[in-house]
Amino acid sequence: LSVGYAACHWCHVMAHESFENDDVAAVMNRLFVNIKVDREERPDIDQIYMAALSLMGEQGGWPLTMFLTPDGKPFWGGTYFPREARYGRPGFVQVLEAVDKAWREKKESVNQSADGLTTHVETRLAGTHAKAVLNRDTLTNLAQGIDGMIDRDLGGLRGAPKFPNAPFMQTLWLSWLRDGSTSHRDAVLLGLEKMLAGGIYDHIGGGLSRYSTDAEWLVPHFEKMLYDNAQLIRLCNWAYAASDNDLFRIRIEETVDWLLREMRVDGGAFAASLDADSEGEEGLFYTWGRDEIETALGGESSLFFKYFTLSGPHGWEGKPIIHQTGAQQAQSVVDRDRLTPLKEKLLAGREQRVRPGRDGKLLTDWNGLVIAALAEAGRAVKRIDWIEAAEQAFAAIASASRDDRLPHSMLGAKKLFPALSSDYAAMANAAISLFEATGTSSYAELAGQFIAQLDQWHRDGDDTGYYLTASDSSDVPIRIRGDVDEAIPSATGQIIEAMVRLSSLSGDLELQQKTWKIAEHAAGRAAHQAYGQAGIVNACALAIEPLKLVLVDDPENPRLVPVANRNPDPRRIDTIVPVGSVGNVPALPGGVLPPTDKPGAWLCAGQVCLPVITDSEELERRLRRG
């Protein structure tokens, strides 16, 4: 079994070196049944065998190379193997022959090992634990733990490689919103500023690469993933509201421009990723020699170099990487209008190059993340066109359903059913964000339908949680829960967030009680995880203290709605009611209907509401963290 993904550099290397080599392929086909899996299409399969590799004491990564018994149980594996022995690793043919020899000569012990390993994986990924009491301390403790890992000079977490790590950043942000931990707010702002100045950010075309190979955010692994940029938009939206720093608004605009220009496919949904390589060289599409910039810009190149630096750091073999110092970044925000035409010229020149490959498949859960981010950012910075793009993408994904079930992925006419639990959760969250942005009640109804599908196909037998894989999926040896974060919050974390938001929006007490039970059991399982529990902890924090804001306002001349829009809060659900409405008025906690004869805002925490707020400045004070 080889598990990889389209934008994975070493996956391509191993495929070219070994799988496409006639001699190696002959050995593979003689000794094994060979299966290739795209981890993005089947994250459930990937997580099972990655957990097995971890239990073997091996470092995880992709390509994931695993050897299985005929019934799919793992017994030995690794990651990248070169065709010939090098890097201190055995050659792949050597590995194939050694594994085959062990299978033929020690089959009984290999089967025992596979049985034991499978049992351990099942315990880790599909097991149950006693529920935990939900309390405020869990978020505080996790935030303090993350605090101890923060790089106070360079932002993000200490060391290299450096990943954006959005679930951790959300933990710190929630810690600030709830407990006033300004150091946690500042850690997120610093991390974003440093990241957005570094080479990990595409200063010419917008968008973030997956990670930097160094501690300075300078040398990226140049692939661009849809999910990283969805989460970047969301974090920058919060950061802009809290700091009033135009840097974050500008980077949102640039990243959305990139998404709409390079990642949108026919129908309006978004492709999964862009490769790091073009013409066989990593980063070639994105990097520039000084002479190339001077040729493209002529006499204006000196102005460009006032705002940007080119670096070819030690060990980097490609052309220099564009980045900014802190001072250059701050000045470029002030002088944006001078810089824009220069960047447009370079972008036009770059478009003439051989482009990196695009993985054009549409992943339902990743699209859900982008849809929510576009809807939220569109509200905050008054970009109706972004909200409309979010609606188009939502319609493209939702309309691909078959028998009322979402697909997990699509590529052209090909659709992969059934969806995973993460797909229903992400689309429910997207629907709720679109409801907040548009006031269209059908989005709230669709969110409820997605949660109902989740219940039908993914709920466990004890009503304590959900499995990642649907009940009628027959091609996995284990149904896992999806409790562990990867680059995005875990499926379980996204499910709890969606259920909290939907129950807060609807006022459905039965759904609130059910959500609480799911969250308690998820917290119990998360307590036994060594890593990757931030998604569950963050979602449980939302469950403990959900906020609801009902706004009655004049659609023609709104005074209160703009205040709510420019003060986004991940803990809060907003419902907007036009003055004079008589039907479909949302209830406040306790079933009380707000009067709709004049503008007013009702801010509620749990089952308790503040007195009505009619003054926009007072609402601003209430919604803004000092």
Side-chain angles (χ1 to χ4, degrees):
L1 171 68
S2 175
V3 182
Y5 58 100
C8 163
H9 174 73
W10 288 103
C11 301
H12 291 305
V13 171
M14 191 166 175
H16 294 320
E17 284 183 347
S18 294
F19 304 157
E20 296 168 14
N21 178 278
D22 289 343
D23 295 335
V24 178
V27 177
M28 293 174 69
N29 290 330
R30 179 166 53 84
L31 301 179
F32 296 91
V33 173
N34 301 292
I35 305 169
K36 186 70 181 158
V37 168
D38 179 343
R39 70 175 293 254
E40 294 163 0
E41 288 198 321
R42 294 304 301 267
D44 49 348
I45 290 174
D46 176 62
Q47 287 183 40
I48 290 167
Y49 295 108
M50 192 61 76
L53 187 67
S54 172
L55 288 165
M56 293 172 195
E58 295 289 327
Q59 181 73 37
W62 296 275
L64 170 61
T65 306
M66 190 62 66
F67 294 92
L68 319 177
T69 65
D71 55 356
K73 294 179 179 177
F75 62 86
W76 193 79
T79 51
Y80 165 76
F81 290 99
R83 186 171 68 206
E84 312 293 343
R86 64 179 185 274
Y87 312 129
R89 301 179 70 80
F92 190 49
V93 171
Q94 207 180 331
V95 168
L96 294 168
E97 291 173 340
V99 170
D100 174 63
K101 186 170 188 284
W103 174 249
R104 284 186 289 104
E105 296 180 1
K106 301 175 182 176
K107 187 174 290 189
E108 187 176 345
S109 65
V110 168
N111 273 315
Q112 286 176 349
S113 171
D115 288 343
L117 200 53
T118 302
T119 300
H120 280 303
V121 170
E122 189 162 16
T123 300
R124 176 184 283 194
L125 297 183
T128 58
H129 290 283
K131 68 182 182 182
V133 175
L134 297 186
N135 61 56
R136 293 171 56 97
D137 294 343
T138 311
L139 181 77
T140 303
N141 294 340
L142 178 60
Q144 287 172 348
I146 297 168
D147 186 272
M149 298 186 279
I150 290 169
D151 187 328
R152 303 290 175 188
D153 298 317
L154 300 171
L157 304 184
R158 287 195 300 272
K162 257 189 164 65
F163 289 84
N165 213 320
F168 273 13
M169 296 303 102
Q170 184 171 351
T171 302
L172 295 175
W173 200 254
L174 290 172
S175 170
W176 169 59
L177 287 174
R178 193 187 69 179
D179 300 326
S181 307
T182 53
S183 65
H184 292 165
R185 174 201 61 193
D186 294 345
V188 175
L189 296 178
L190 174 68
L192 285 170
E193 287 174 16
K194 294 291 188 181
M195 194 188 306
L196 294 170
I200 189 175
Y201 184 77
D202 179 357
H203 292 276
I204 303 305
L208 197 69
S209 293
R210 183 163 172 255
Y211 65 92
S212 68
T213 59
D214 57 280
E216 288 80 32
W217 303 107
L218 177 56
V219 182
H221 207 25
F222 280 91
E223 72 262 37
K224 287 181 176 178
M225 312 303 292
L226 189 64
Y227 57 74
D228 283 325
N229 288 284
Q231 294 176 110
L232 175 71
I233 291 167
R234 202 172 191 220
L235 284 167
C236 283
N237 190 37
W238 301 341
Y240 176 54
S243 68
D244 292 324
N245 184 345
D246 279 332
L247 167 70
F248 300 119
R249 178 183 56 79
I250 291 167
R251 293 293 185 259
I252 292 171
E253 290 171 358
E254 293 171 346
T255 301
V256 174
D257 285 348
W258 164 73
L259 281 170
L260 298 177
R261 183 181 68 245
E262 298 188 27
M263 301 304 285
R264 192 153 56 160
V265 305
D266 290 345
F270 294 90
S273 64
L274 295 178
D275 286 357
D277 307 6
S278 55
E279 301 183 73
E281 185 176 329
E282 183 176 3
L284 183 63
F285 182 74
Y286 299 101
T287 51
W288 296 77
R290 188 179 186 92
D291 58 330
E292 292 177 308
I293 291 177
E294 289 171 345
T295 299
L297 297 181
E300 296 174 307
S301 60
S302 58
L303 180 62
F304 180 83
F305 289 119
K306 178 182 174 183
Y307 297 100
F308 293 98
T309 300
L310 290 183
S311 294
H314 177 71
W316 173 246
E317 297 175 357
K319 289 184 291 186
I321 296 164
I322 296 175
H323 65 106
Q324 294 182 309
T325 64
Q328 285 175 324
Q329 184 182 58
Q331 194 60 42
S332 70
V333 171
V334 176
D335 298 341
R336 186 191 188 193
D337 290 344
R338 298 181 73 194
L339 265 180
T340 298
L342 306 187
K343 290 169 72 170
E344 287 174 350
K345 281 186 182 178
L346 291 177
L347 183 61
R350 197 173 82 176
E351 289 297 312
Q352 306 308 310
R353 297 175 177 177
V354 175
R355 297 189 59 80
R358 185 177 80 171
D359 181 0
K361 70 174 179 285
L362 310 177
L363 293 164
T364 295
D365 49 359
W366 295 8
N367 268 273
L369 296 176
V370 173
I371 293 162
L374 287 173
E376 291 167 18
R379 283 180 68 201
V381 299
K382 302 179 184 176
R383 290 293 298 264
I384 301 300
D385 54 327
W386 295 358
I387 297 170
E388 289 171 347
E391 291 194 279
Q392 288 173 9
F394 185 93
I397 299 294
S399 65
S401 294
R402 188 176 73 197
D403 300 327
D404 292 329
R405 298 179 73 175
L406 291 170
H408 172 62
S409 76
M410 293 181 279
L411 184 60
K414 181 185 174 187
K415 299 176 184 178
L416 180 65
F417 290 93
L420 301 168
S421 63
S422 55
D423 298 316
Y424 289 113
M427 285 296 283
N429 276 313
I432 293 166
S433 292
L434 281 172
F435 169 76
E436 291 181 293
T438 66
T440 304
S441 59
S442 60
Y443 285 122
E445 293 163 10
L446 283 166
Q449 290 174 26
F450 292 143
I451 298 300
Q453 290 293 316
L454 190 67
D455 275 347
Q456 183 173 349
W457 297 106
H458 296 268
R459 189 175 55 200
D460 66 18
D462 303 320
D463 289 345
T464 59
Y466 298 90
Y467 290 110
L468 184 59
T469 311
S471 57
D472 57 348
S473 293
S474 57
D475 55 359
V476 285
I478 301 165
R479 283 181 80 200
I480 65 174
R481 290 188 176 275
D483 284 343
V484 180
D485 297 340
E486 293 182 306
I488 60 177
S490 64
T492 302
Q494 293 184 64
I495 289 166
I496 295 168
E497 180 182 3
M499 293 175 71
V500 168
R501 295 176 77 203
L502 183 60
S503 62
S504 184
L505 179 67
S506 64
D508 184 337
L509 290 177
E510 189 177 326
L511 181 57
Q512 286 177 17
Q513 292 165 356
K514 176 178 168 180
T515 304
W516 189 266
K517 180 180 178 182
I518 300 296
E520 285 181 318
H521 283 274
R525 297 193 304 273
H528 294 268
Q529 290 170 206
Y531 61 90
Q533 71 273 42
I536 288 176
V537 172
N538 294 344
C540 288
L542 301 182
I544 292 170
E545 293 168 303
L547 300 180
K548 180 173 184 173
L549 179 65
V550 176
L551 296 154
V552 175
D553 210 347
D554 178 0
E556 303 303 318
N557 185 29
R559 290 185 297 107
L560 302 175
V561 169
V563 176
N565 287 350
R566 66 175 173 260
N567 287 286
D569 186 328
R571 304 169 301 168
R572 201 180 77 228
I573 283 291
D574 295 355
T575 302
I576 298 164
V577 182
V579 169
S581 295
V582 287
N584 295 321
V585 177
L588 302 175
V592 177
L593 293 176
T596 61
D597 56 327
K598 58 180 180 291
W602 287 263
L603 181 61
C604 308
Q607 299 298 307
V608 179
C609 298
L610 294 175
V612 62
I613 301 166
T614 56
D615 179 69
S616 59
E617 291 182 5
E618 171 64 15
L619 183 61
E620 186 97 43
R621 281 193 294 273
R622 288 288 186 181
L623 298 185
R624 224 177 152 80
R625 220 345 164 161

